[in-house]
Amino acid sequence: RRASQLSTGTLWIARIGGRVVGRISAQSGDAPKDGRFGWIEAIDSAAVFEALFAAAEGWLAARGATACGGPYS
């Protein structure tokens, strides 16, 4: 099987006032219970990091993930 058949993922970009202030990705693979996140980068803001992680964790939980590891970049 090709790698593209083994996992699925998505990306988020956080913006404040149209300005990009952060990003994160989330991936699930062959063992969908084990989610992964990566490409995390943001301005020095707890609120931005919390929103990014909430988006990634919510997406993974909706796909059955019960654990999340990373960062993978």
Side-chain angles (χ1 to χ4, degrees):
R1 294 181 355 183
R2 295 187 330 236
S4 63
Q5 295 172 313
L6 300 177
S7 67
T8 185
T10 194
L11 305 166
W12 291 268
I13 295 176
R15 298 176 193 267
I16 295 176
R19 180 177 156 239
V20 174
V21 294
R23 68 179 185 200
I24 195 169
S25 67
Q27 304 82 32
S28 62
D30 262 353
K33 299 282 185 204
D34 298 323
R36 299 181 298 274
F37 73 92
W39 297 102
I40 181 74
E41 182 179 16
I43 62 171
D44 188 12
S45 167
V48 172
F49 275 100
E50 288 171 10
L52 289 167
F53 278 110
E57 290 170 348
W59 185 86
L60 289 166
R63 283 151 186 78
T66 57
C68 181
Y72 295 95
S73 295

